[in-house]
Structures are given as structure tokens and as C-alpha cells.
């Protein structure tokens, strides 16, 4: 992925420099048709809005709530698109480099951003959501399928023995884990969402001080709504009959379960690209549902739900969607759904899963 982005960037710089255009918006650069189109979007006397690009839905929604009519926000991940397989197009890269502010998650899905920002000479201010909260290291829970193997303590010991026996494989493993890998899905906790919204308010106010009072008013109102959402989750958890969730899917909800002190079992880690379940993983989750009498097996929005259905069919449990919010369907976006409305769907789904 990084090599592909490097090639795209190199081609863009060659193409644009050959036309006498810079990607950045320095005041003394030659005006081209592309620049005229962007600057001509506003009529005489109209407000020139902050241009903000986000990779995914949560910061897109948060910026719209805080910025209101004083920002133009572009979300690169199209509605309904799988977020973990997203690759930027040349047009996406130009949008980012010409923006005032660029916001991205900052985790495993955004490794391509490193090459992109290396070519940033100052017009766009980049921000990673992961930098704004206390990050959690990715974890592999018992029973999860990782690279074709079901995670158990015995399996871990076997893996370490294999690494010690094969210096080449051990070296590759060390390189891969040279830096800690953190879970990028920080917005799944409403408490983190509050922190992110307040950070966004500060950034917008610094970039556009003339509208700082509006941004602060919008952010304060939105934070109150997020606090009510947090309270709704706590009401469900505090009155629950159990504290364990089962996901027949990826699990991008580590921040959520840590916030509300919940336990979980899941098929795959949060950013896993695996889709073919092993018999051992299915058997493990099925046994857990039976042993703990779990009434609901979850799957994520835009997932086919087949693993959850297989477990539910054997155990008599129900299946239900739990929204990670990483992306949004075209229908939901057209219907005016947002972060809050999707999370309130989770409140009701959680109520069913934790009740007798």
C-alpha cells in the first residue's frame, strides 16, 4: 500500500509541476483552472469556508456538527465502502493536499498516510484521532481467529517456541512489532467522542477565529448530547443481568467495552481482513454462547452476518447489528442518520444482549 501511494504521489508531483501548478495553496503560485474552480466556488462577498477532508465517517460527522455552515467537509470513504480496504485515488490525494485540515483515524488502516504527509509542505494541517485520546493496544481475545489460527494460551506458547526455533521468522515478527499497534476505533466510546469534539472545536476556532464563538456554542451543545448518550449506555450496563458480549464478526469495539467494563468474545480482531471462519473458532464461540446463555450474537453493519447466523442457529440465540460507526451506508446517510442515532441503536441492542 505504501509503495502504491508513493508512486501516485510521484506521478502527481511530476504532472502538476509540469503544468506550473503546486499542490499546496501558497499565495504566490500560478493560478490554474483547478485553482480557479476551487476559489470560484464562492461568489463575491460570500464566505470562504474552511476546507476539511476526513477519511472516515465519525470525524466527518463531528466536524459538520461543530462547524455548521462555516465549513466544507469531504469524506473520502464513500458510503457503504469497506473502510479497511480503502485506497486513496489521485483525486483523493489532491483533495487532501489542498485542504486546510485533514483528519484520519491514525491506526493500521491509515499506514498510507505516512507517505502522503511526507509530501505535505504545510498547507494542510493533519490530525490523527488516535493522538487525542488514551490509546489502547490492540488485543487478541481468547477464541479469536488470527491468520488462520484460533487464539488460545496453548497456541501462543507453541508460536513462541516456533519463533525461537526459526531466527528468520523471529526477525520478521520483531520488525512487525517494532512499534506498538494501537486500536484505531477510538470513537466507539462516547467518552472519547466528547474529547474528539472538543479538540475539533479548538482546531476550527484557531483556523477561523471569526467564528470561534459559533464553534464553541455548537460543540457545547453536541457534548451535552454525547453525555446523554454515555448516560444511556451506563443505565443499560448498570441494570444488566450479564456483562459479556459475543460478536460473530470483527471486533472494533475495544474502547467501547473498556469504557463500560464489559467482557467480550469475537471472531476476529478489529482490523482483520479474514473472512473465512475456522471450525475451531465457530466451535469456541458456540460453546461460550451456550455456557453463558448469551441471548444475542452480534455482527457489524455492512457485514453479511453469516458467522453470527451459524452460531445463533446452533444455540437458539438471536442475531443483531452493532454499529461501529467506521462507515455508514448510503441509505442511512440519505435518511439523515448520524453518529448519535447509530449509537442509540446500539443502546437498544445492548439492552437486549445484557438482559435475561
Amino acid at each position: 500500500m505504501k509503495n502504491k501511494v508513493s508512486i501516485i504521489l510521484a506521478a502527481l508531483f511530476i504532472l502538476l509541476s509540469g503544468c506550473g501548478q503546486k499542490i499546496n495553496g501558497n499565495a504566490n503560485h500560478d493560478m490554474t483552472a483547478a485553482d480557479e474552480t476551487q476559489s470560484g466556488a464562492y461568489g463575491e462577498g460570500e464566505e470562504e469556508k474552511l476546507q476539511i477532508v476526513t477519511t472516515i465517517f465519525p470525524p466527518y460527522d463531528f466536524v459538520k456538527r461543530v462547524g455548521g455552515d462555516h465549513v466544507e467537509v469531504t469524506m473520502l470513504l464513500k458510503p457503504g465502502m469497506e473502510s479497511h480496504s480503502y485506497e486513496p485515488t489521485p483525486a483523493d490525494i489532491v483533495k487532501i493536499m489542498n485542504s486546510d485540515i485533514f483528519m484520519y483515524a491514525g491506526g493500521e488502516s491509515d499506514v498510507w498516510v505516512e507517505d502522503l504527509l511526507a509530501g505535505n509542505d504545510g498547507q494542510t494541517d493533519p490530525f490523527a484521532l488516535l493522538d487525542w485520546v488514551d490509546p489502547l493496544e490492540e488485543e487478541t481475545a481468547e477464541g479469536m481467529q488470527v491468520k488462520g489460527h484460533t487464539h488460545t494460551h496453548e497456541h501462543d506458547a507453541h508460536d513462541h517456541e516456533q519463533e525461537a526455533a526459526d531466527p528468520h521468522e523471529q526477525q520478521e515478527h520483531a520488525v512487525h512489532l517494532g512499534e506498538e499497534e494501537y486500536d484505531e476505533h477510538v470513537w466507539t466510546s462516547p467518552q472519547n467522542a466528547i474529547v474528539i469534539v472538543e479538540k475539533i472545536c479548538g482546531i476550527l476556532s484557531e483556523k477561523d477565529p471569526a467564528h470561534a464563538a459559533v464553534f464553541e456554542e455548537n460543540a457545547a451543545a453536541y457534548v451535552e448530547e454525547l453525555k446523554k448518550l454515555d448516560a444511556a449506555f451506563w443505565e443499560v450496563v448498570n441494570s444488566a443481568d450479564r456483562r459479556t458480549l459475543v460478536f460473530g464478526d470483527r471486533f472494533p469495539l475495544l474502547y467501547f467495552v473498556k469504557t463500560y467494563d464489559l467482557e467480550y468474545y469475537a471472531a476476529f480482531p478489529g482490523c482483520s481482513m479474514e473472512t473465512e471462519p475456522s471450525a475451531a473458532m465457530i466451535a469456541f464461540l458456540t460453546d461460550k454462547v451456550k455456557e453463558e446463555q448469551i441471548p444475542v450474537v452480534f455482527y457489524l453493519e455492512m457485514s453479511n452476518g453469516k458467522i453470527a447466523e451459524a452460531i445463533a442457529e446452533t444455540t437458539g440465540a438471536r442475531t443483531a447489528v452493532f454499529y461501529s460507526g467506521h462507515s455508514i451506508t448510503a441509505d442511512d446517510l440519505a435518511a439523515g442518520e448520524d453518529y448519535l442515532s447509530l449509537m442509540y441503536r446500539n443502546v437498544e441492542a445492548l439492552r437486549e444482549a445484557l438482559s435475561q
Side-chain angles (χ1 to χ4, degrees):
M1 167 68 86
K2 291 183 69 175
N3 289 338
K4 180 173 180 179
V5 174
S6 298
I7 293 170
I8 292 174
L9 280 171
L12 282 170
F13 278 117
I14 293 171
L15 175 63
L16 296 177
S17 62
C19 296
Q21 178 185 5
K22 295 180 181 178
I23 288 184
N24 69 317
N26 294 338
N28 61 353
H29 80 283
D30 294 333
M31 182 66 75
T32 67
D35 292 314
E36 290 170 354
T37 299
Q38 183 173 350
S39 63
Y42 307 101
E44 186 175 351
E46 289 186 28
E47 174 189 353
E48 186 170 343
K49 303 179 180 182
L50 286 175
Q51 300 297 308
I52 302 170
V53 172
T54 74
T55 51
I56 54 177
F57 177 68
Y60 167 84
D61 194 47
F62 298 157
V63 170
K64 285 174 68 69
R65 288 296 302 262
V66 176
D69 295 333
H70 304 296
V71 297
E72 291 283 351
V73 195
T74 299
M75 179 172 60
L76 298 182
L77 187 70
K78 301 297 185 291
M81 181 184 292
E82 165 53 51
S83 56
H84 297 92
S85 60
Y86 165 75
E87 295 184 3
T89 66
D92 290 341
I93 293 174
V94 171
K95 288 175 185 175
I96 294 168
M97 301 300 277
N98 282 332
S99 66
D100 297 304
I101 298 168
F102 171 48
M103 294 185 186
Y104 59 104
E108 185 177 342
S109 297
D110 289 332
V111 292
W112 58 271
V113 174
E114 296 172 14
D115 276 355
L116 177 63
L117 296 182
N120 173 33
D121 61 0
Q123 170 166 330
T124 186
D125 282 337
F127 297 96
L129 305 189
L130 198 57
D131 292 339
W132 293 343
V133 304
D134 293 330
L136 297 175
E137 287 189 45
E138 290 186 348
E139 66 179 37
T140 304
E142 185 183 6
M144 273 186 179
Q145 183 174 317
V146 182
K147 295 181 179 178
H149 299 284
T150 300
H151 179 80
T152 65
H153 297 300
E154 291 180 2
H155 178 71
D156 285 349
H158 175 71
D159 281 350
H160 292 313
E161 289 173 5
Q162 288 294 103
E163 287 167 9
D166 190 333
H168 177 67
E169 289 186 7
Q170 186 177 18
Q171 183 179 14
E172 286 186 349
H173 185 71
V175 170
H176 179 64
L177 298 180
E179 297 180 3
E180 292 86 354
E181 292 187 7
Y182 293 104
D183 191 305
E184 66 191 57
H185 308 92
V186 295
W187 59 86
T188 58
S189 164
Q191 294 179 14
N192 280 349
I194 290 171
V195 173
I196 293 168
V197 166
E198 290 174 340
K199 290 284 188 180
I200 288 172
C201 177
I203 291 166
L204 298 188
S205 297
E206 183 178 349
K207 279 282 190 179
D208 184 6
H211 296 107
V214 176
F215 300 147
E216 290 167 6
E217 182 179 354
N218 290 347
Y222 193 38
V223 165
E224 287 304 309
E225 293 185 69
L226 291 169
K227 288 180 178 178
K228 291 178 182 178
L229 172 66
D230 179 48
F233 277 121
W234 274 119
E235 184 275 324
V236 171
V237 170
N238 289 335
S239 61
D241 299 308
R242 61 177 59 80
R243 305 188 76 85
T244 301
L245 304 177
V246 173
F247 277 73
D249 211 324
R250 292 196 298 254
F251 191 76
L253 294 153
L254 189 60
Y255 292 91
F256 178 83
V257 295
K258 297 298 183 183
T259 294
Y260 299 109
D261 193 26
L262 298 170
E263 302 295 329
Y264 73 94
Y265 298 102
F268 309 111
C271 286
S272 174
M273 295 303 293
E274 292 197 62
T275 57
E276 293 300 322
S278 68
M281 180 265 285
I282 293 287
F284 177 87
L285 294 180
T286 298
D287 288 344
K288 287 299 177 183
V289 171
K290 289 179 178 178
E291 289 169 9
E292 303 194 25
Q293 298 182 325
I294 304 294
V296 176
V297 180
F298 286 116
Y299 62 96
L300 299 176
E301 73 271 38
M302 292 182 283
S303 167
N304 61 28
K306 289 183 178 179
I307 298 175
E309 289 173 4
I311 297 168
E313 184 176 352
T314 302
T315 61
R318 302 185 300 280
T319 62
V321 177
F322 203 95
Y323 292 84
S324 71
H326 207 150
S327 185
I328 189 169
T329 67
D331 288 343
D332 278 344
L333 189 64
E337 300 290 348
D338 57 15
Y339 173 85
L340 278 173
S341 65
L342 296 180
M343 291 301 110
Y344 271 110
R345 292 183 188 180
N346 287 344
V347 170
E348 296 310 312
L350 190 69
R351 194 185 308 278
E352 286 192 35
L354 298 184
S355 299
Q356 292 287 8

